[in-house]
Coordinates of all heavy atoms in Angstrom, one line a residue:
I11 N 1.0 21.4 -15.1 CA -0.3 21.0 -14.8 C -1.2 20.9 -16.1 O -1.9 19.9 -16.3 CB -1.0 21.9 -13.7 CG1 -0.3 21.6 -12.4 CG2 -2.5 21.7 -13.6 CD1 -0.8 22.6 -11.2
L12 N -1.1 21.9 -16.9 CA -1.8 21.9 -18.2 C -1.4 20.7 -19.1 O -2.3 20.1 -19.7 CB -1.6 23.2 -18.9 CG -2.3 24.4 -18.3 CD1 -2.0 25.7 -19.2 CD2 -3.8 24.3 -18.1
D14 N -0.5 17.8 -18.0 CA -1.2 16.6 -17.4 C -2.7 16.6 -17.8 O -3.2 15.6 -18.2 CB -1.1 16.6 -15.9 CG 0.2 16.0 -15.4 OD1 1.1 15.7 -16.2 OD2 0.3 15.9 -14.1
H15 N -3.3 17.8 -17.8 CA -4.7 17.9 -18.1 C -4.9 17.4 -19.6 O -5.9 16.7 -19.9 CB -5.2 19.3 -17.9 CG -5.3 19.7 -16.5 ND1 -5.8 20.9 -16.1 CD2 -5.0 19.1 -15.3 CE1 -5.8 21.0 -14.8 NE2 -5.3 19.9 -14.3
F18 N -4.8 13.8 -19.7 CA -6.1 13.1 -19.3 C -7.1 13.1 -20.3 O -7.8 12.1 -20.6 CB -6.6 13.9 -18.0 CG -5.7 13.9 -16.8 CD1 -5.8 14.9 -15.9 CD2 -4.8 12.9 -16.7 CE1 -4.9 14.9 -14.8 CE2 -3.9 12.9 -15.6 CZ -4.0 13.9 -14.7
H48 N -1.6 13.0 -9.9 CA -1.8 14.4 -10.2 C -2.5 15.1 -9.1 O -2.1 16.2 -8.6 CB -2.5 14.5 -11.5 CG -2.8 15.9 -11.9 ND1 -2.0 16.7 -12.7 CD2 -3.9 16.7 -11.7 CE1 -2.5 17.9 -12.9 NE2 -3.7 17.9 -12.3
A49 N -3.6 14.5 -8.6 CA -4.3 15.1 -7.5 C -3.5 15.2 -6.2 O -3.5 16.3 -5.6 CB -5.6 14.2 -7.2
E52 N -1.0 18.1 -6.7 CA -1.6 19.4 -6.5 C -1.9 19.7 -5.0 O -1.7 20.8 -4.6 CB -2.9 19.5 -7.3 CG -2.7 19.6 -8.8 CD -4.0 19.7 -9.6 OE1 -5.1 19.4 -9.1 OE2 -3.9 20.0 -10.8
L56 N 0.5 22.7 -5.1 CA -0.3 23.9 -5.6 C -1.2 24.5 -4.6 O -1.1 25.7 -4.3 CB -1.1 23.5 -6.9 CG -2.0 24.6 -7.4 CD1 -1.2 25.7 -8.1 CD2 -3.0 24.0 -8.4
Y57 N -2.1 23.6 -4.0 CA -3.1 24.2 -3.2 C -2.7 24.7 -1.9 O -3.3 25.7 -1.4 CB -4.3 23.2 -3.1 CG -5.1 23.1 -4.3 CD1 -5.0 22.1 -5.3 CD2 -6.0 24.2 -4.7 CE1 -5.7 22.1 -6.5 CE2 -6.7 24.2 -5.9 CZ -6.5 23.2 -6.8 OH -7.2 23.2 -8.0
H78 N -11.4 16.3 -6.4 CA -10.4 15.2 -6.4 C -11.0 14.0 -5.7 O -10.8 12.8 -6.1 CB -9.2 15.6 -5.6 CG -8.4 16.7 -6.4 ND1 -7.2 17.2 -5.8 CD2 -8.5 17.2 -7.6 CE1 -6.7 18.1 -6.7 NE2 -7.5 18.1 -7.8
N109 N -13.9 14.7 -13.9 CA -12.6 15.2 -14.2 C -12.8 16.4 -15.2 O -12.1 17.4 -15.0 CB -11.7 14.1 -14.8 CG -10.3 14.6 -15.2 OD1 -9.6 15.1 -14.3 ND2 -10.0 14.6 -16.4
H112 N -13.9 19.4 -13.3 CA -12.9 19.8 -12.5 C -11.8 20.6 -13.2 O -11.3 21.6 -12.8 CB -12.3 18.7 -11.7 CG -11.1 19.1 -10.9 ND1 -11.1 20.0 -9.9 CD2 -9.8 18.7 -10.9 CE1 -9.9 20.2 -9.4 NE2 -9.1 19.4 -10.0
L113 N -11.4 20.0 -14.4 CA -10.3 20.7 -15.2 C -10.7 22.1 -15.6 O -9.9 23.0 -15.5 CB -10.0 19.9 -16.4 CG -9.4 18.5 -16.3 CD1 -8.9 17.9 -17.6 CD2 -8.3 18.4 -15.2
E116 N -10.5 24.3 -12.5 CA -9.1 24.6 -12.2 C -8.4 25.5 -13.2 O -7.7 26.5 -12.8 CB -8.3 23.3 -12.2 CG -7.2 23.2 -11.1 CD -6.9 21.7 -10.9 OE1 -6.7 20.9 -11.8 OE2 -6.9 21.3 -9.7
E117 N -8.7 25.3 -14.5 CA -8.1 26.1 -15.5 C -8.6 27.5 -15.6 O -7.9 28.4 -16.0 CB -8.2 25.4 -16.9 CG -7.3 24.1 -16.9 CD -7.5 23.3 -18.2 OE1 -8.1 23.8 -19.2 OE2 -7.0 22.2 -18.2
L121 N -6.1 28.2 -11.4 CA -4.8 28.6 -11.9 C -4.7 30.1 -12.3 O -3.6 30.7 -12.0 CB -4.5 27.7 -13.2 CG -4.3 26.2 -12.9 CD1 -4.0 25.5 -14.2 CD2 -3.1 26.0 -11.9
W140 N 7.3 19.9 -8.4 CA 6.4 19.0 -9.1 C 7.1 17.8 -9.7 O 6.7 16.7 -9.6 CB 5.6 19.8 -10.1 CG 4.5 19.1 -10.9 CD1 4.7 18.4 -12.0 CD2 3.1 19.1 -10.5 NE1 3.5 17.9 -12.4 CE2 2.5 18.3 -11.5 CE3 2.4 19.6 -9.5 CZ2 1.1 18.0 -11.5 CZ3 1.0 19.3 -9.4 CH2 0.4 18.5 -10.4
Ligands
FE2_201 FE1 -5.2 19.4 -12.2

Side-chain angles (χ1 to χ4, degrees):
I11 287 174
L12 291 180
D14 277 6
H15 290 182
F18 299 153
H48 178 89
E52 287 182 343
L56 174 72
Y57 285 102
H78 289 176
N109 182 62
H112 173 60
L113 298 191
E116 215 160 50
E117 291 176 10
L121 291 179
W140 184 271

